[in-house]
Amino acid sequence: MIRLYDLQKKKDIDTLIEVLRNSKSKVVRARAAEILGDIGGERAYTELISVIINENEDDEVRNAAIKSIAWADKKALRMLLEKLEGRKIKGVSWVLVDKLIKTLKSDDVSIRMNSAIALGRLGDTRALPHLIETLEDEAPEVRRAAAMALGMLGNAAAVDALIARLKDDNVEVRKAVLEALVDFEITPDEADEVAGALKDPDPRVRELAAIVLERGGEAAVGHLLKAMSDPVRDVRVAAIQALMGCLSRVHPARSEAVRRRISE
């Protein structure tokens, strides 16, 4: 019996390709695609691209192949785009970015989703307005990917657009938005908007909101004090930790009052 773990450990590309082509289990084939992406190299990428362009391929396997390429290196992205366009593309980052921006409009949800991820990983700010626009995509998995990508770019110009998606009806999108906001400084007005997520029905969303509010300074203190009464322990802990992080930006008199409240 072939064990994928052993094949991954040995970097046995030949056998992994055979599994990807011939296994009767779509779960096994999808995992083989993921491992090939992790190993990398032209042969692995060529096989993954063959899966991607096969319109009759199983969705689970195809999506695994697309994801593997999106998280791979620039060479993999260039190979895929060349196959899709039917012509050579020079290996310059801005060319890849331009091509990936175009694929954000693809009819294929998986292509849009992973194009967003790839743009985030490339880190070119020319993708910023296009990723912000993609936050409005009809597919929640694409909106989630756009939020992740904007977090990777780390450009503060995306903060308002990200905060607006905290009202998204998909919980995974709301989580991705807050994860993207973690490293951004937020203004008092933005802190008030983020604080709305402390009332979210999902406890992980509330926990992430508390973590983000650490960047809100004094404007976040009142919201975080209320979050200390959350019924979920992880949310309460996140609120306390965020408050401790806020104290350096709070007036000394209020800082001492907050310390007393935390110690109660």
Side-chain angles (χ1 to χ4, degrees), residues 33-96:
E34 292 172 354
I35 295 171
L36 283 169
D38 290 340
I39 294 173
E42 187 166 347
R43 289 186 60 228
Y45 297 153
T46 299
E47 192 65 27
L48 292 170
I49 290 167
S50 295
V51 170
I52 292 169
I53 65 175
N54 180 2
E55 295 181 357
N56 297 318
E57 182 57 83
D58 177 84
D59 286 345
E60 183 175 345
V61 179
R62 186 166 179 269
N63 289 342
I66 294 172
K67 182 178 179 181
S68 290
I69 293 292
W71 286 97
D73 54 27
K74 292 179 183 178
K75 180 179 180 179
L77 294 171
R78 186 175 68 251
M79 288 174 65
L80 174 59
L81 292 169
E82 286 177 346
K83 193 69 175 180
L84 293 174
E85 295 216 346
R87 63 185 181 87
K88 288 288 184 181
I89 299 173
K90 293 181 180 180
V92 182
S93 294
W94 66 264
V95 177
L96 293 179

Tab-separated table of all heavy atoms in Angstrom, residues 33-96:
chain	number	residue	atom	x	y	z
A	33	ALA	N	-1.731	16.094	-5.207
A	33	ALA	CA	-1.550	17.400	-5.851
A	33	ALA	C	-0.936	18.400	-4.872
A	33	ALA	O	-0.047	19.183	-5.227
A	33	ALA	CB	-2.875	17.920	-6.386
A	34	GLU	N	-1.416	18.380	-3.647
A	34	GLU	CA	-0.871	19.293	-2.634
A	34	GLU	C	0.602	19.002	-2.370
A	34	GLU	O	1.422	19.925	-2.259
A	34	GLU	CB	-1.672	19.150	-1.336
A	34	GLU	CG	-3.105	19.656	-1.441
A	34	GLU	CD	-3.923	19.333	-0.205
A	34	GLU	OE1	-3.392	18.610	0.678
A	34	GLU	OE2	-5.082	19.771	-0.128
A	35	ILE	N	0.947	17.733	-2.284
A	35	ILE	CA	2.334	17.359	-2.004
A	35	ILE	C	3.236	17.742	-3.170
A	35	ILE	O	4.356	18.241	-2.971
A	35	ILE	CB	2.440	15.847	-1.705
A	35	ILE	CG1	1.692	15.514	-0.416
A	35	ILE	CG2	3.907	15.419	-1.593
A	35	ILE	CD1	1.562	14.031	-0.145
A	36	LEU	N	2.766	17.534	-4.379
A	36	LEU	CA	3.554	17.932	-5.552
A	36	LEU	C	3.821	19.436	-5.537
A	36	LEU	O	4.904	19.889	-5.891
A	36	LEU	CB	2.830	17.533	-6.838
A	36	LEU	CG	2.909	16.045	-7.219
A	36	LEU	CD1	1.937	15.725	-8.344
A	36	LEU	CD2	4.333	15.674	-7.629
A	37	GLY	N	2.825	20.208	-5.117
A	37	GLY	CA	3.022	21.647	-5.013
A	37	GLY	C	4.066	21.992	-3.963
A	37	GLY	O	4.878	22.895	-4.152
A	38	ASP	N	4.053	21.254	-2.857
A	38	ASP	CA	5.038	21.498	-1.792
A	38	ASP	C	6.455	21.162	-2.263
A	38	ASP	O	7.412	21.866	-1.930
A	38	ASP	CB	4.703	20.659	-0.554
A	38	ASP	CG	3.447	21.136	0.157
A	38	ASP	OD1	3.048	22.293	-0.050
A	38	ASP	OD2	2.857	20.343	0.917
A	39	ILE	N	6.585	20.080	-3.014
A	39	ILE	CA	7.902	19.668	-3.505
A	39	ILE	C	8.402	20.638	-4.572
A	39	ILE	O	9.558	21.055	-4.568
A	39	ILE	CB	7.845	18.225	-4.066
A	39	ILE	CG1	7.555	17.232	-2.939
A	39	ILE	CG2	9.149	17.870	-4.769
A	39	ILE	CD1	7.304	15.818	-3.401
A	40	GLY	N	7.503	21.002	-5.492
A	40	GLY	CA	7.852	21.974	-6.525
A	40	GLY	C	8.704	21.401	-7.638
A	40	GLY	O	8.952	20.197	-7.718
A	41	GLY	N	9.127	22.274	-8.525
A	41	GLY	CA	9.924	21.857	-9.667
A	41	GLY	C	9.087	21.774	-10.935
A	41	GLY	O	7.860	21.627	-10.883
A	42	GLU	N	9.750	21.845	-12.060
A	42	GLU	CA	9.048	21.931	-13.336
A	42	GLU	C	8.156	20.722	-13.614
A	42	GLU	O	7.039	20.871	-14.110
A	42	GLU	CB	10.055	22.112	-14.477
A	42	GLU	CG	9.391	22.388	-15.817
A	42	GLU	CD	10.371	22.906	-16.850
A	42	GLU	OE1	11.494	23.278	-16.478
A	42	GLU	OE2	9.992	22.937	-18.038
A	43	ARG	N	8.629	19.518	-13.304
A	43	ARG	CA	7.820	18.321	-13.581
A	43	ARG	C	6.551	18.321	-12.744
A	43	ARG	O	5.466	17.981	-13.236
A	43	ARG	CB	8.627	17.058	-13.307
A	43	ARG	CG	9.729	16.811	-14.332
A	43	ARG	CD	10.410	15.481	-14.110
A	43	ARG	NE	9.470	14.386	-14.220
A	43	ARG	CZ	9.370	13.399	-13.332
A	43	ARG	NH1	10.121	13.388	-12.251
A	43	ARG	NH2	8.504	12.421	-13.505
A	44	ALA	N	6.685	18.686	-11.480
A	44	ALA	CA	5.509	18.728	-10.611
A	44	ALA	C	4.536	19.792	-11.089
A	44	ALA	O	3.318	19.545	-11.168
A	44	ALA	CB	5.934	19.012	-9.168
A	45	TYR	N	5.042	20.959	-11.438
A	45	TYR	CA	4.177	22.039	-11.892
A	45	TYR	C	3.477	21.681	-13.206
A	45	TYR	O	2.295	21.975	-13.392
A	45	TYR	CB	4.981	23.328	-12.068
A	45	TYR	CG	5.588	23.871	-10.800
A	45	TYR	CD1	6.748	24.650	-10.841
A	45	TYR	CD2	5.019	23.619	-9.552
A	45	TYR	CE1	7.313	25.160	-9.676
A	45	TYR	CE2	5.581	24.119	-8.388
A	45	TYR	CZ	6.734	24.885	-8.463
A	45	TYR	OH	7.289	25.382	-7.311
A	46	THR	N	4.202	21.054	-14.110
A	46	THR	CA	3.610	20.653	-15.394
A	46	THR	C	2.432	19.707	-15.181
A	46	THR	O	1.379	19.835	-15.822
A	46	THR	CB	4.674	19.974	-16.288
A	46	THR	OG1	5.721	20.908	-16.552
A	46	THR	CG2	4.063	19.516	-17.602
A	47	GLU	N	2.600	18.775	-14.251
A	47	GLU	CA	1.517	17.811	-13.974
A	47	GLU	C	0.316	18.517	-13.343
A	47	GLU	O	-0.835	18.246	-13.690
A	47	GLU	CB	2.029	16.717	-13.051
A	47	GLU	CG	1.102	15.522	-12.938
A	47	GLU	CD	0.956	14.755	-14.247
A	47	GLU	OE1	1.883	14.779	-15.072
A	47	GLU	OE2	-0.113	14.125	-14.433
A	48	LEU	N	0.580	19.421	-12.428
A	48	LEU	CA	-0.506	20.161	-11.780
A	48	LEU	C	-1.261	21.024	-12.784
A	48	LEU	O	-2.496	21.115	-12.742
A	48	LEU	CB	0.053	21.033	-10.653
A	48	LEU	CG	0.599	20.280	-9.435
A	48	LEU	CD1	1.348	21.229	-8.515
A	48	LEU	CD2	-0.515	19.573	-8.688
A	49	ILE	N	-0.540	21.632	-13.682
A	49	ILE	CA	-1.177	22.467	-14.707
A	49	ILE	C	-2.037	21.633	-15.640
A	49	ILE	O	-3.122	22.054	-16.059
A	49	ILE	CB	-0.111	23.264	-15.482
A	49	ILE	CG1	0.492	24.343	-14.561
A	49	ILE	CG2	-0.698	23.920	-16.729
A	49	ILE	CD1	1.746	24.988	-15.091
A	50	SER	N	-1.598	20.407	-15.933
A	50	SER	CA	-2.411	19.500	-16.761
A	50	SER	C	-3.749	19.204	-16.089
A	50	SER	O	-4.790	19.115	-16.747
A	50	SER	CB	-1.651	18.183	-17.006
A	50	SER	OG	-0.490	18.408	-17.762
A	51	VAL	N	-3.709	19.069	-14.768
A	51	VAL	CA	-4.943	18.846	-14.007
A	51	VAL	C	-5.838	20.084	-14.082
A	51	VAL	O	-7.053	19.991	-14.282
A	51	VAL	CB	-4.605	18.506	-12.537
A	51	VAL	CG1	-5.876	18.518	-11.675
A	51	VAL	CG2	-3.923	17.152	-12.451
A	52	ILE	N	-5.231	21.257	-13.939
A	52	ILE	CA	-5.991	22.504	-13.909
A	52	ILE	C	-6.727	22.758	-15.219
A	52	ILE	O	-7.890	23.187	-15.218
A	52	ILE	CB	-5.053	23.687	-13.590
A	52	ILE	CG1	-4.551	23.571	-12.147
A	52	ILE	CG2	-5.755	25.027	-13.797
A	52	ILE	CD1	-3.416	24.520	-11.805
A	53	ILE	N	-6.083	22.500	-16.343
A	53	ILE	CA	-6.691	22.832	-17.634
A	53	ILE	C	-7.625	21.740	-18.147
A	53	ILE	O	-8.286	21.916	-19.168
A	53	ILE	CB	-5.609	23.130	-18.697
A	53	ILE	CG1	-4.768	21.883	-18.987
A	53	ILE	CG2	-4.745	24.300	-18.268
A	53	ILE	CD1	-3.766	22.078	-20.106
A	54	ASN	N	-7.700	20.626	-17.417
A	54	ASN	CA	-8.604	19.536	-17.809
A	54	ASN	C	-10.015	19.858	-17.319
A	54	ASN	O	-10.309	19.769	-16.132
A	54	ASN	CB	-8.112	18.221	-17.217
A	54	ASN	CG	-8.995	17.044	-17.593
A	54	ASN	OD1	-9.972	17.191	-18.335
A	54	ASN	ND2	-8.674	15.871	-17.074
A	55	GLU	N	-10.887	20.224	-18.227
A	55	GLU	CA	-12.247	20.634	-17.859
A	55	GLU	C	-13.075	19.489	-17.279
A	55	GLU	O	-14.090	19.720	-16.621
A	55	GLU	CB	-12.963	21.220	-19.071
A	55	GLU	CG	-12.338	22.525	-19.570
A	55	GLU	CD	-13.082	23.099	-20.757
A	55	GLU	OE1	-14.042	22.447	-21.224
A	55	GLU	OE2	-12.715	24.201	-21.214
A	56	ASN	N	-12.663	18.254	-17.526
A	56	ASN	CA	-13.401	17.099	-17.014
A	56	ASN	C	-12.863	16.602	-15.676
A	56	ASN	O	-13.350	15.600	-15.146
A	56	ASN	CB	-13.333	15.953	-18.038
A	56	ASN	CG	-14.007	16.323	-19.353
A	56	ASN	OD1	-15.074	16.932	-19.351
A	56	ASN	ND2	-13.383	15.963	-20.462
A	57	GLU	N	-11.885	17.304	-15.147
A	57	GLU	CA	-11.271	16.880	-13.898
A	57	GLU	C	-12.232	17.065	-12.727
A	57	GLU	O	-13.094	17.954	-12.728
A	57	GLU	CB	-9.993	17.695	-13.669
A	57	GLU	CG	-9.207	17.328	-12.420
A	57	GLU	CD	-8.802	15.866	-12.403
A	57	GLU	OE1	-7.773	15.532	-13.032
A	57	GLU	OE2	-9.524	15.067	-11.762
A	58	ASP	N	-12.093	16.216	-11.722
A	58	ASP	CA	-12.878	16.342	-10.494
A	58	ASP	C	-12.577	17.679	-9.821
A	58	ASP	O	-11.418	18.107	-9.750
A	58	ASP	CB	-12.523	15.190	-9.547
A	58	ASP	CG	-13.240	15.302	-8.216
A	58	ASP	OD1	-14.387	14.871	-8.128
A	58	ASP	OD2	-12.627	15.856	-7.272
A	59	ASP	N	-13.608	18.350	-9.317
A	59	ASP	CA	-13.448	19.687	-8.738
A	59	ASP	C	-12.492	19.699	-7.555
A	59	ASP	O	-11.675	20.617	-7.408
A	59	ASP	CB	-14.804	20.247	-8.296
A	59	ASP	CG	-15.658	20.692	-9.464
A	59	ASP	OD1	-15.115	20.842	-10.572
A	59	ASP	OD2	-16.868	20.894	-9.262
A	60	GLU	N	-12.583	18.690	-6.699
A	60	GLU	CA	-11.734	18.664	-5.507
A	60	GLU	C	-10.259	18.548	-5.887
A	60	GLU	O	-9.400	19.240	-5.320
A	60	GLU	CB	-12.126	17.497	-4.593
A	60	GLU	CG	-11.327	17.446	-3.305
A	60	GLU	CD	-11.813	16.364	-2.348
A	60	GLU	OE1	-12.925	15.844	-2.550
A	60	GLU	OE2	-11.075	16.054	-1.389
A	61	VAL	N	-9.979	17.705	-6.855
A	61	VAL	CA	-8.596	17.501	-7.300
A	61	VAL	C	-8.093	18.756	-8.015
A	61	VAL	O	-6.968	19.223	-7.789
A	61	VAL	CB	-8.491	16.280	-8.227
A	61	VAL	CG1	-7.054	16.095	-8.710
A	61	VAL	CG2	-8.970	15.019	-7.509
A	62	ARG	N	-8.935	19.310	-8.864
A	62	ARG	CA	-8.545	20.506	-9.617
A	62	ARG	C	-8.285	21.685	-8.690
A	62	ARG	O	-7.315	22.428	-8.855
A	62	ARG	CB	-9.647	20.838	-10.622
A	62	ARG	CG	-9.306	21.970	-11.580
A	62	ARG	CD	-10.310	21.991	-12.733
A	62	ARG	NE	-10.010	23.077	-13.652
A	62	ARG	CZ	-10.534	24.295	-13.543
A	62	ARG	NH1	-11.377	24.577	-12.556
A	62	ARG	NH2	-10.230	25.237	-14.422
A	63	ASN	N	-9.153	21.862	-7.711
A	63	ASN	CA	-8.965	22.957	-6.770
A	63	ASN	C	-7.669	22.795	-5.966
A	63	ASN	O	-6.994	23.776	-5.666
A	63	ASN	CB	-10.156	23.048	-5.814
A	63	ASN	CG	-11.408	23.554	-6.498
A	63	ASN	OD1	-11.338	24.139	-7.568
A	63	ASN	ND2	-12.555	23.324	-5.887
A	64	ALA	N	-7.332	21.552	-5.625
A	64	ALA	CA	-6.081	21.302	-4.910
A	64	ALA	C	-4.884	21.673	-5.781
A	64	ALA	O	-3.899	22.241	-5.292
A	64	ALA	CB	-5.999	19.833	-4.496
A	65	ALA	N	-4.982	21.372	-7.071
A	65	ALA	CA	-3.888	21.708	-7.999
A	65	ALA	C	-3.749	23.217	-8.160
A	65	ALA	O	-2.635	23.760	-8.148
A	65	ALA	CB	-4.138	21.049	-9.352
A	66	ILE	N	-4.867	23.905	-8.284
A	66	ILE	CA	-4.834	25.367	-8.424
A	66	ILE	C	-4.248	26.011	-7.175
A	66	ILE	O	-3.414	26.922	-7.248
A	66	ILE	CB	-6.249	25.919	-8.702
A	66	ILE	CG1	-6.751	25.435	-10.075
A	66	ILE	CG2	-6.261	27.444	-8.656
A	66	ILE	CD1	-8.196	25.774	-10.360
A	67	LYS	N	-4.667	25.528	-6.020
A	67	LYS	CA	-4.146	26.062	-4.763
A	67	LYS	C	-2.639	25.836	-4.661
A	67	LYS	O	-1.895	26.721	-4.217
A	67	LYS	CB	-4.858	25.395	-3.582
A	67	LYS	CG	-4.426	25.925	-2.225
A	67	LYS	CD	-5.208	25.244	-1.118
A	67	LYS	CE	-4.761	25.754	0.243
A	67	LYS	NZ	-5.508	25.067	1.350
A	68	SER	N	-2.187	24.669	-5.083
A	68	SER	CA	-0.755	24.363	-5.028
A	68	SER	C	0.053	25.333	-5.881
A	68	SER	O	1.123	25.800	-5.478
A	68	SER	CB	-0.506	22.924	-5.497
A	68	SER	OG	-1.004	21.999	-4.566
A	69	ILE	N	-0.475	25.642	-7.063
A	69	ILE	CA	0.226	26.585	-7.945
A	69	ILE	C	0.210	27.995	-7.349
A	69	ILE	O	1.213	28.719	-7.386
A	69	ILE	CB	-0.403	26.591	-9.351
A	69	ILE	CG1	-0.170	25.236	-10.052
A	69	ILE	CG2	0.152	27.731	-10.198
A	69	ILE	CD1	1.263	24.952	-10.403
A	70	ALA	N	-0.918	28.385	-6.783
A	70	ALA	CA	-1.043	29.731	-6.210
A	70	ALA	C	-0.048	29.959	-5.077
A	70	ALA	O	0.462	31.065	-4.897
A	70	ALA	CB	-2.463	29.968	-5.715
A	71	TRP	N	0.224	28.906	-4.304
A	71	TRP	CA	1.137	29.040	-3.170
A	71	TRP	C	2.569	28.681	-3.542
A	71	TRP	O	3.453	28.686	-2.679
A	71	TRP	CB	0.667	28.170	-2.007
A	71	TRP	CG	-0.526	28.733	-1.308
A	71	TRP	CD1	-1.831	28.398	-1.501
A	71	TRP	CD2	-0.526	29.756	-0.317
A	71	TRP	NE1	-2.647	29.143	-0.685
A	71	TRP	CE2	-1.875	29.982	0.056
A	71	TRP	CE3	0.472	30.500	0.297
A	71	TRP	CZ2	-2.238	30.929	1.017
A	71	TRP	CZ3	0.107	31.428	1.258
A	71	TRP	CH2	-1.231	31.638	1.605
A	72	ALA	N	2.809	28.378	-4.802
A	72	ALA	CA	4.152	28.017	-5.250
A	72	ALA	C	4.951	29.270	-5.602
A	72	ALA	O	4.585	30.388	-5.245
A	72	ALA	CB	4.059	27.058	-6.438
A	73	ASP	N	6.041	29.086	-6.360
A	73	ASP	CA	6.898	30.224	-6.688
A	73	ASP	C	6.467	30.900	-7.988
A	73	ASP	O	5.502	30.474	-8.649
A	73	ASP	CB	8.360	29.781	-6.767
A	73	ASP	CG	8.566	28.612	-7.730
A	73	ASP	OD1	7.763	28.468	-8.675
A	73	ASP	OD2	9.527	27.847	-7.539
A	74	LYS	N	7.183	31.952	-8.361
A	74	LYS	CA	6.833	32.707	-9.568
A	74	LYS	C	6.907	31.852	-10.830
A	74	LYS	O	6.147	32.060	-11.777
A	74	LYS	CB	7.754	33.921	-9.700
A	74	LYS	CG	7.536	34.979	-8.625
A	74	LYS	CD	8.505	36.137	-8.803
A	74	LYS	CE	8.349	37.157	-7.694
A	74	LYS	NZ	9.315	38.271	-7.833
A	75	LYS	N	7.827	30.907	-10.839
A	75	LYS	CA	7.964	30.041	-12.003
A	75	LYS	C	6.679	29.269	-12.255
A	75	LYS	O	6.222	29.145	-13.394
A	75	LYS	CB	9.123	29.061	-11.804
A	75	LYS	CG	9.333	28.110	-12.979
A	75	LYS	CD	10.522	27.186	-12.732
A	75	LYS	CE	10.706	26.242	-13.917
A	75	LYS	NZ	11.871	25.334	-13.707
A	76	ALA	N	6.073	28.749	-11.186
A	76	ALA	CA	4.821	27.989	-11.322
A	76	ALA	C	3.707	28.878	-11.864
A	76	ALA	O	2.940	28.466	-12.737
A	76	ALA	CB	4.424	27.402	-9.976
A	77	LEU	N	3.618	30.091	-11.342
A	77	LEU	CA	2.590	31.022	-11.814
A	77	LEU	C	2.788	31.352	-13.284
A	77	LEU	O	1.832	31.398	-14.065
A	77	LEU	CB	2.624	32.304	-10.974
A	77	LEU	CG	2.239	32.151	-9.498
A	77	LEU	CD1	2.533	33.443	-8.754
A	77	LEU	CD2	0.777	31.776	-9.365
A	78	ARG	N	4.041	31.580	-13.643
A	78	ARG	CA	4.329	31.905	-15.041
A	78	ARG	C	3.975	30.738	-15.957
A	78	ARG	O	3.375	30.921	-17.015
A	78	ARG	CB	5.804	32.275	-15.202
A	78	ARG	CG	6.137	32.775	-16.619
A	78	ARG	CD	7.569	33.257	-16.729
A	78	ARG	NE	8.516	32.169	-16.606
A	78	ARG	CZ	9.315	31.959	-15.566
A	78	ARG	NH1	9.259	32.777	-14.527
A	78	ARG	NH2	10.159	30.957	-15.535
A	79	MET	N	4.315	29.515	-15.542
A	79	MET	CA	4.000	28.324	-16.350
A	79	MET	C	2.494	28.181	-16.565
A	79	MET	O	2.035	27.876	-17.672
A	79	MET	CB	4.562	27.071	-15.686
A	79	MET	CG	6.069	26.933	-15.758
A	79	MET	SD	6.687	25.506	-14.811
A	79	MET	CE	5.946	24.135	-15.739
A	80	LEU	N	1.719	28.413	-15.505
A	80	LEU	CA	0.264	28.298	-15.624
A	80	LEU	C	-0.292	29.358	-16.562
A	80	LEU	O	-1.102	29.053	-17.445
A	80	LEU	CB	-0.388	28.438	-14.242
A	80	LEU	CG	-1.921	28.489	-14.238
A	80	LEU	CD1	-2.512	27.235	-14.860
A	80	LEU	CD2	-2.446	28.693	-12.825
A	81	LEU	N	0.135	30.585	-16.377
A	81	LEU	CA	-0.379	31.670	-17.217
A	81	LEU	C	0.023	31.485	-18.674
A	81	LEU	O	-0.758	31.785	-19.580
A	81	LEU	CB	0.112	33.016	-16.689
A	81	LEU	CG	-0.477	33.420	-15.327
A	81	LEU	CD1	0.253	34.626	-14.763
A	81	LEU	CD2	-1.967	33.698	-15.438
A	82	GLU	N	1.208	30.972	-18.912
A	82	GLU	CA	1.630	30.688	-20.286
A	82	GLU	C	0.740	29.623	-20.920
A	82	GLU	O	0.366	29.723	-22.095
A	82	GLU	CB	3.089	30.229	-20.305
A	82	GLU	CG	4.080	31.361	-20.074
A	82	GLU	CD	5.523	30.884	-20.026
A	82	GLU	OE1	5.744	29.656	-19.901
A	82	GLU	OE2	6.424	31.745	-20.097
A	83	LYS	N	0.386	28.622	-20.129
A	83	LYS	CA	-0.480	27.556	-20.649
A	83	LYS	C	-1.875	28.090	-20.952
A	83	LYS	O	-2.471	27.761	-21.988
A	83	LYS	CB	-0.564	26.422	-19.625
A	83	LYS	CG	-1.167	25.143	-20.176
A	83	LYS	CD	-0.239	24.486	-21.177
A	83	LYS	CE	-0.775	23.148	-21.648
A	83	LYS	NZ	0.114	22.499	-22.628
A	84	LEU	N	-2.378	28.924	-20.067
A	84	LEU	CA	-3.715	29.482	-20.266
A	84	LEU	C	-3.759	30.437	-21.457
A	84	LEU	O	-4.753	30.500	-22.176
A	84	LEU	CB	-4.174	30.219	-19.005
A	84	LEU	CG	-4.428	29.351	-17.761
A	84	LEU	CD1	-4.727	30.216	-16.560
A	84	LEU	CD2	-5.573	28.366	-18.007
A	85	GLU	N	-2.665	31.174	-21.677
A	85	GLU	CA	-2.634	32.167	-22.751
A	85	GLU	C	-2.087	31.616	-24.063
A	85	GLU	O	-2.252	32.225	-25.118
A	85	GLU	CB	-1.801	33.377	-22.329
A	85	GLU	CG	-2.416	34.127	-21.168
A	85	GLU	CD	-2.216	35.625	-21.287
A	85	GLU	OE1	-1.390	36.069	-22.096
A	85	GLU	OE2	-2.937	36.349	-20.574
A	86	GLY	N	-1.408	30.476	-23.968
A	86	GLY	CA	-0.869	29.876	-25.179
A	86	GLY	C	0.341	30.582	-25.737
A	86	GLY	O	0.637	30.484	-26.939
A	87	ARG	N	1.069	31.291	-24.898
A	87	ARG	CA	2.278	31.978	-25.360
A	87	ARG	C	3.216	32.206	-24.190
A	87	ARG	O	2.811	32.151	-23.032
A	87	ARG	CB	1.939	33.316	-26.020
A	87	ARG	CG	1.289	34.336	-25.112
A	87	ARG	CD	0.877	35.570	-25.877
A	87	ARG	NE	0.261	36.571	-25.008
A	87	ARG	CZ	0.916	37.490	-24.322
A	87	ARG	NH1	2.244	37.524	-24.379
A	87	ARG	NH2	0.288	38.362	-23.567
A	88	LYS	N	4.478	32.461	-24.511
A	88	LYS	CA	5.493	32.662	-23.492
A	88	LYS	C	5.327	34.011	-22.785
A	88	LYS	O	4.951	35.004	-23.404
A	88	LYS	CB	6.894	32.597	-24.111
A	88	LYS	CG	7.323	31.195	-24.524
A	88	LYS	CD	7.623	30.361	-23.292
A	88	LYS	CE	8.141	28.982	-23.682
A	88	LYS	NZ	8.412	28.143	-22.492
A	89	ILE	N	5.624	34.020	-21.498
A	89	ILE	CA	5.597	35.244	-20.711
A	89	ILE	C	6.957	35.390	-20.055
A	89	ILE	O	7.453	34.463	-19.415
A	89	ILE	CB	4.510	35.199	-19.614
A	89	ILE	CG1	3.123	35.051	-20.241
A	89	ILE	CG2	4.574	36.435	-18.730
A	89	ILE	CD1	2.029	34.825	-19.225
A	90	LYS	N	7.572	36.531	-20.234
A	90	LYS	CA	8.865	36.766	-19.603
A	90	LYS	C	8.698	36.772	-18.087
A	90	LYS	O	7.677	37.211	-17.565
A	90	LYS	CB	9.461	38.084	-20.087
A	90	LYS	CG	9.860	38.080	-21.563
A	90	LYS	CD	10.471	39.413	-21.959
A	90	LYS	CE	10.870	39.394	-23.428
A	90	LYS	NZ	11.469	40.690	-23.854
A	91	GLY	N	9.735	36.321	-17.406
A	91	GLY	CA	9.642	36.144	-15.957
A	91	GLY	C	9.792	37.405	-15.149
A	91	GLY	O	10.538	37.422	-14.174
A	92	VAL	N	9.139	38.469	-15.532
A	92	VAL	CA	9.190	39.719	-14.779
A	92	VAL	C	7.942	39.809	-13.899
A	92	VAL	O	6.831	39.545	-14.351
A	92	VAL	CB	9.242	40.932	-15.741
A	92	VAL	CG1	9.347	42.230	-14.965
A	92	VAL	CG2	10.423	40.782	-16.697
A	93	SER	N	8.121	40.191	-12.639
A	93	SER	CA	7.009	40.177	-11.682
A	93	SER	C	5.821	41.005	-12.136
A	93	SER	O	4.670	40.602	-11.982
A	93	SER	CB	7.497	40.681	-10.318
A	93	SER	OG	8.420	39.784	-9.763
A	94	TRP	N	6.077	42.204	-12.694
A	94	TRP	CA	4.947	43.062	-13.055
A	94	TRP	C	4.115	42.441	-14.164
A	94	TRP	O	2.897	42.658	-14.241
A	94	TRP	CB	5.418	44.456	-13.442
A	94	TRP	CG	6.244	44.575	-14.691
A	94	TRP	CD1	7.598	44.607	-14.773
A	94	TRP	CD2	5.758	44.700	-16.040
A	94	TRP	NE1	7.997	44.735	-16.082
A	94	TRP	CE2	6.891	44.797	-16.880
A	94	TRP	CE3	4.490	44.737	-16.613
A	94	TRP	CZ2	6.790	44.926	-18.263
A	94	TRP	CZ3	4.382	44.870	-17.993
A	94	TRP	CH2	5.520	44.960	-18.804
A	95	VAL	N	4.748	41.636	-15.031
A	95	VAL	CA	3.980	40.949	-16.078
A	95	VAL	C	3.054	39.917	-15.438
A	95	VAL	O	1.870	39.800	-15.808
A	95	VAL	CB	4.934	40.267	-17.089
A	95	VAL	CG1	4.127	39.490	-18.123
A	95	VAL	CG2	5.815	41.308	-17.776
A	96	LEU	N	3.573	39.172	-14.486
A	96	LEU	CA	2.746	38.183	-13.784
A	96	LEU	C	1.592	38.857	-13.062
A	96	LEU	O	0.457	38.368	-13.084
A	96	LEU	CB	3.603	37.412	-12.771
A	96	LEU	CG	4.688	36.493	-13.325
A	96	LEU	CD1	5.448	35.849	-12.177
A	96	LEU	CD2	4.096	35.431	-14.230
